[in-house]
Amino acid sequence: MRIEHVSFLLPDFIRGSLGRDDTARVETHLRVCTVCRSELEELSNAFGSIADHSTGDVPKGYFPSILPRIRERLDRRRSTPWIQHPLVSRIVLPLGAAIIVAALVWQIPVYRPSAGNQYQLSAVVDSATPEEMAEIMQANVSNHDLNSFNNAIMSGVLADERFVNSELVREALASEPTSPFNVYADVSSQQFLDDLHESDVDDVLQKLGTMGAL
Amino acid sequence: MSDRSDEELVRLFQHGSESAFNELVLRYQEKIYWVARRFSKSHDNADDITQEVFCKMYESLKDFRGDSSLYTWLYRIAVNVSLNFLRRQKVREFLRIDEMFEIESPEGESPDVVFEKNEQQSLIEQAVATLPEKQKTVFVMRYYEEMSYEEIAAILKTSVGGLKANYFHATRKIGEYIRRAHRTR
Ligand SMILES: [Zn+2]
């Protein structure tokens, strides 16, 4: 006969958050099962050491500083209404992201720490949609000011005819009165990144996952 | 701070009161910060997530209809923003952009400093960070927030089945992590 262990009930049993029926069931089972008894001991120790170790500290005066910075962040977003423009979210941002990735892949491969990754990265770039590229870049440039990428973008891949002649770029250039790249270049990465769609991150991760990259 | 209810403050905000928003931030900032901190293992990450959560609150509070309590609603946003943050971080780590731009990065990123940062991280934070996403989420919600499995399932949009197993495995792994860490010190 197969014994039904109560392992998964033990954490709540230890912390006293189990209902009366389940508590009785666990107690009865523990009397006859050495496996679950040693599990109980191990988990009790685990909870003990979790309780002994508090989460890290918060810098002094931190909490009063949050509200003003949230206000700043909101103001910053409001002051760049162009980011709401459908053209921007549909074409310029994803395209810009794709260009940055391309710049990274094709212009400065020497800095890459591992050649294996580079191959995978190129494959990702080749197979991803502009939206996915945007997500990848959103994940990647968020710590950097976008301006630091400008030179690479402007002097490097923009000259690549694959991009200059692409339908997307032509459409973007034709319908935006000033060059979208100028607008794009003015914005710090954080602002531009904040506004992109989030759900695609999963897809990118999945894609990287199926490629065995993660 | 006034003792006006959440509902009242939400209504005031929906009618244009900015100070009502401020009051809600002050009311919930610590709670949300700790949710973020437990997910994201460092103060800087938690700070970023916290700000983002309240910006999202600002942008979508006009649509809040009170189907759940404000905190539950806010909590859900906090979990989503935290998980998204972690996913992005994963992609970022894969592409290792930070290393690529080592030359331009400020001195603050030298290996010594990174090491010190890790030292400042509590052992619990390090341990939680090693868990798979689902186990991490369930552990934080169940252990720290003491939420019911039904509430957790609702927020994660999954079924209750399996959550207890996630909690069990998470607890065990954290225990093991701490034990190993003590042995090597
Ligand atoms: Zn048993």
Side-chain angles (χ1 to χ4, degrees):
Chain A
M1 193 181 84
R2 201 179 152 272
I3 314 166
E4 202 169 309
H5 293 297
V6 293
S7 325
F8 295 164
L9 297 177
L10 291 175
D12 291 318
F13 175 75
I14 293 166
R15 300 199 79 212
S17 47
L18 216 54
R20 212 191 317 159
D21 291 352
D22 279 337
T23 304
R25 201 179 123 209
V26 170
E27 282 168 347
T28 312
H29 180 83
L30 284 173
R31 262 177 247 141
V32 297
C33 180
T34 53
V35 176
C36 285
R37 271 209 299 275
S38 74
E39 198 76 80
L40 179 73
E41 199 191 327
E42 195 171 318
L43 282 170
S44 301
N45 290 337
F47 277 120
S49 45
I50 290 169
D52 284 347
H53 293 268
S54 59
T55 317
D57 299 326
V58 178
K60 246 199 189 97
Y62 168 64
F63 286 113
S65 80
I66 298 182
L67 183 57
R69 286 180 304 124
I70 290 171
R71 282 293 179 186
E72 259 169 51
R73 205 181 263 214
L74 286 168
D75 286 345
R76 231 174 16 235
R77 286 187 199 184
R78 260 191 302 239
S79 67
T80 51
W82 63 267
I83 211 156
Q84 319 291 347
H85 192 288
L87 175 76
V88 170
S89 55
R90 203 165 49 81
I91 296 172
V92 179
L93 294 182
L95 179 65
I99 289 172
I100 296 174
V101 169
L104 297 177
V105 175
W106 290 314
Q107 301 295 307
I108 33 180
V110 273
Y111 294 129
R112 286 211 62 81
S114 121
N117 275 359
Q118 192 196 325
Y119 170 73
Q120 289 168 327
L121 183 58
S122 307
V124 172
V125 172
D126 290 345
S127 61
T129 66
E131 287 77 14
E132 287 169 337
M133 289 283 69
E135 288 299 336
I136 293 179
M137 287 323 298
Q138 179 171 14
N140 276 286
V141 299
S142 59
N143 284 336
H144 301 275
D145 193 297
L146 204 63
N147 287 326
S148 66
F149 288 97
N150 278 345
N151 289 342
I153 301 170
M154 293 306 185
S155 62
V157 179
L158 257 192
D160 189 315
E161 56 179 8
R162 256 182 293 188
F163 282 105
V164 176
N165 293 331
S166 82
E167 206 55 46
L168 277 176
V169 176
R170 267 205 304 254
E171 195 188 327
L173 288 170
S175 44
E176 187 70 23
T178 62
S179 161
F181 298 104
N182 292 339
V183 182
Y184 179 70
D186 283 342
V187 186
S188 82
S189 56
Q190 200 57 53
Q191 289 163 318
F192 127 88
L193 296 168
D194 287 342
D195 224 64
L196 289 172
H197 208 260
E198 284 178 349
S199 61
D200 289 331
V201 177
D202 277 341
D203 296 339
V204 174
L205 276 175
Q206 217 159 31
K207 189 162 268 174
L208 293 174
T210 51
M211 294 172 60
L214 287 179
Chain B
M1 231 185 287
S2 78
D3 45 13
R4 279 182 290 202
S5 69
D6 286 355
E7 291 74 26
E8 217 175 323
L9 290 171
V10 169
R11 210 172 43 246
L12 285 169
F13 176 75
Q14 288 171 339
H15 286 90
S17 163
E18 293 290 319
S19 66
F21 171 78
N22 293 351
E23 210 169 318
L24 287 169
V25 172
L26 294 175
R27 187 171 289 181
Y28 287 113
Q29 60 183 14
E30 283 205 39
K31 277 184 161 178
I32 294 302
Y33 171 83
W34 283 110
V35 173
R37 178 75 183 253
R38 273 152 194 155
F39 272 107
S40 68
K41 82 180 175 186
S42 87
H43 169 73
D44 289 345
N45 294 346
D47 175 49
D48 191 24
I49 293 169
T50 305
Q51 290 184 53
E52 193 53 37
V53 170
F54 285 110
C55 287
K56 285 211 161 27
M57 171 171 111
Y58 188 92
E59 284 152 7
S60 47
L61 201 56
K62 57 182 183 306
D63 304 320
F64 179 71
R65 292 282 160 263
D67 300 330
S68 62
S69 78
L70 182 73
Y71 180 63
T72 305
W73 182 78
L74 208 52
Y75 187 87
R76 195 170 295 154
I77 296 178
V79 171
N80 286 334
V81 172
S82 299
L83 292 180
N84 266 313
F85 182 92
L86 294 177
R87 287 175 197 149
R88 279 165 214 284
Q89 207 171 40
K90 214 162 149 190
V91 176
R92 181 159 52 228
E93 276 162 15
F94 161 70
L95 294 177
R96 296 205 254 168
I97 297 291
D98 296 340
E99 288 173 37
M100 219 147 92
F101 286 87
E102 229 162 19
I103 308 153
E104 290 172 30
S105 71
E107 280 181 23
E109 307 217 345
S110 75
D112 288 349
V113 176
V114 172
F115 177 72
E116 270 175 38
K117 259 191 212 160
N118 285 339
E119 285 292 287
Q120 280 164 15
Q121 241 172 45
S122 81
L123 209 48
I124 290 292
E125 286 174 313
Q126 292 172 33
V128 171
T130 64
L131 299 175
E133 185 178 300
K134 187 83 178 286
Q135 288 177 20
K136 186 184 313 193
T137 314
V138 175
F139 181 80
V140 169
M141 289 178 175
R142 184 73 182 152
Y143 181 79
Y144 290 111
E145 316 291 329
E146 300 186 350
M147 297 172 95
S148 72
Y149 290 110
E150 285 72 22
E151 287 172 301
I152 297 172
I155 286 179
L156 296 180
K157 298 199 176 88
T158 57
S159 63
V160 174
L163 294 181
K164 286 178 189 174
N166 289 139
Y167 186 39
F168 168 83
H169 290 301
T171 308
R172 238 173 89 145
K173 281 184 198 165
I174 293 172
E176 272 163 30
Y177 185 94
I178 294 173
R179 208 172 43 230
R180 258 205 322 273
H182 280 307
R183 261 209 304 271
T184 55
R185 269 174 195 193

